[in-house]
Structure formats: C-alpha cells, structure tokens
Amino acid sequence: GILVVQVGEASGINDAADENGDFENRSTMIKMLDAIGFKSIHIYEESHCQFGAPWTTLIAFKDVETRKRWYRSPAAVELDLS
C-alpha cells in the first residue's frame, strides 16, 4: 500500500536535524513507519503550495513493487485507469 501524509512546514537550512529540533515528531513517524514494515519512505518539499512557506509531504510504500508503480509515466497511469 501507499501512505501519503502532509507533515507540515519544511525545515530550513539553519534548523536542527529532525531528530533534535522542532520537527522531532516527523522523525518519530518515519521510525515508526519503518518499524511496522514500510519498505520505502520519501519526503517531498513543495514551495508553490501557497501556505506561506515550503510544505512537506511524506510518502511511504509498503513494498518495492508498489514503489515501482509510483514512478510510472502519466500515460501508463491513464492506460491503467481506462
């Protein structure tokens, strides 16, 4: 399966590492996802979302096969949907 979660404002260049700073909960979430069997965890930062600051999204894949499907082209997704 796939889990997609908005995890708040992105950390800045001068912020401490997630494990030690204001984003400790994000680090804890990643460790918990790993512990329950998610095989591939990615963090994406988007600065064009109109929240006033860059925003972070976490995407976790339960298995490698699911992750492969994530990287398909838009045309391949459309073909699956038709």
Side-chain angles (χ1 to χ4, degrees), residues 3-52:
L3 175 70
V4 180
V5 182
Q6 261 189 350
V7 290
E9 189 175 325
S11 54
I13 193 165
N14 294 320
D15 292 330
D18 283 356
E19 294 86 351
N20 304 318
D22 293 336
F23 303 99
E24 185 177 356
N25 288 340
R26 180 169 33 220
S27 175
T28 301
M29 182 189 324
I30 291 169
K31 290 175 186 171
M32 291 174 75
L33 290 170
D34 184 53
I36 62 172
F38 280 86
K39 304 296 184 203
S40 182
I41 301 169
H42 305 271
I43 298 286
Y44 291 96
E45 294 180 4
E46 175 56 54
S47 61
H48 300 94
C49 53
Q50 306 300 317
F51 287 125

